[in-house]
Amino acid sequence: MLITVSVPSLLRDCTGGNVKFQLDALTLQDALNQLISSYPLLRVHLWTETGQVRKHVLLYYNDTNIAWLEDLEITLQPGDQLIVFQAVSGG
């Protein structure tokens, strides 16, 4: 199933200049695995060394933060989206 993935422009250097692209995956977990497989430079920006989503990163499946999901083996549907938000701070 093709889904649309959106990443912040700050991370476009990790995705070959793309801020919106498609991935072909069967489940949400598969999509996350393919995201890192297709764009390995994203791993360090999105996940810790222990495989947890970094505190300043939010990953949304459609309108749901994946941190709120009990299971990532959700079957994807046409029109689904995976959206990466990255908090930016400064002072």
Side-chain angles (χ1 to χ4, degrees):
M1 185 66 50
L2 285 176
I3 66 164
T4 302
V5 179
S6 300
V7 298
S9 58
L10 289 173
L11 295 177
R12 70 177 172 249
D13 60 328
C14 298
T15 59
N18 300 311
V19 293
K20 190 176 272 192
F21 49 90
Q22 293 189 320
L23 287 178
D24 189 11
L26 297 176
T27 66
L28 178 56
Q29 183 64 64
D30 186 31
L32 293 169
N33 293 342
Q34 286 192 38
L35 180 63
I36 295 307
S37 176
S38 298
Y39 303 103
L41 294 176
L42 280 177
R43 179 183 299 274
V44 70
H45 295 285
L46 304 184
W47 282 274
T48 65
E49 295 77 22
T50 60
Q52 302 299 314
V53 175
R54 292 194 178 276
K55 291 180 182 181
H56 65 279
V57 173
L58 298 173
L59 298 174
Y60 274 79
Y61 167 63
N62 296 324
D63 60 353
T64 303
N65 184 334
I66 69 164
W68 302 335
L69 298 173
E70 291 182 27
D71 185 14
L72 299 179
E73 290 299 329
I74 298 168
T75 301
L76 299 176
Q77 303 298 317
D80 281 349
Q81 296 181 32
L82 178 60
I83 305 163
V84 177
F85 291 105
Q86 190 175 34
V88 178
S89 63

